[in-house]
Amino acid sequence: EVQLQASGGGWVQAGGSLRLSCAASGFTFEEWGIGWFRQAPGMEREGVSCITSHDGLTYYGNSVKGRFTIASDNAKNAFYLQMNSLKPEDTAVYYCAAGCYADLHEYDYFGQGTLVTVSS
């Protein structure tokens, strides 16, 4: 059974940093890929970052490039999202997911999400 649980969200002032973690089980990162997406209130899902299966290519959404970094620790079945230089517009619920898709509706497995609030 594929399971994911994101953690590490919280409140931070603009310019600050947070590190999100995702505890995963039931799938291998190499075969599925891993990803993060977010959803702000009243907004559509937005892809944040992901790593593709097999070839391990990394992608970032345009709004987070240069500020966020995705990483994985296969031995711990965990992956992370380091978020620096946070902006109020980064406020959202962040979800970790199995897979790496341009079409966010293809994400079938994702955790409950963790709320990130960035104040100005």
Side-chain angles (χ1 to χ4, degrees):
E1 180 184 7
V2 176
Q3 292 185 325
L4 302 106
Q5 179 61 58
S7 62
W11 179 89
V12 64
Q13 286 190 320
S17 298
L18 281 175
R19 185 186 191 226
L20 305 184
S21 298
C22 183
S25 62
F27 68 104
T28 61
F29 299 173
E30 294 88 351
E31 291 186 2
W32 287 54
I34 55 176
W36 291 93
F37 63 88
R38 66 188 182 185
Q39 189 163 22
M43 303 292 284
E44 296 285 329
R45 287 180 184 178
E46 178 186 7
V48 175
S49 182
C50 67
I51 300 177
T52 61
S53 60
H54 303 295
D55 52 12
L57 297 177
T58 301
Y59 293 93
Y60 293 96
N62 288 333
S63 62
V64 307
K65 281 180 182 177
R67 300 187 298 122
F68 291 11
T69 303
I70 189 172
S72 66
D73 186 335
N74 293 0
K76 294 183 178 180
N77 288 329
F79 56 102
Y80 310 95
L81 185 70
Q82 178 66 43
M83 307 186 296
N84 298 329
S85 302
L86 283 161
K87 304 175 181 180
E89 51 264 44
D90 294 318
T91 295
V93 177
Y94 284 72
Y95 299 87
C96 59
C100 180
Y101 305 108
D103 181 352
L104 303 184
H105 294 95
E106 293 192 49
Y107 280 117
D108 289 330
Y109 299 100
F110 50 92
Q112 287 188 323
T114 186
L115 176 63
V116 172
T117 303
V118 184
S119 66
S120 57

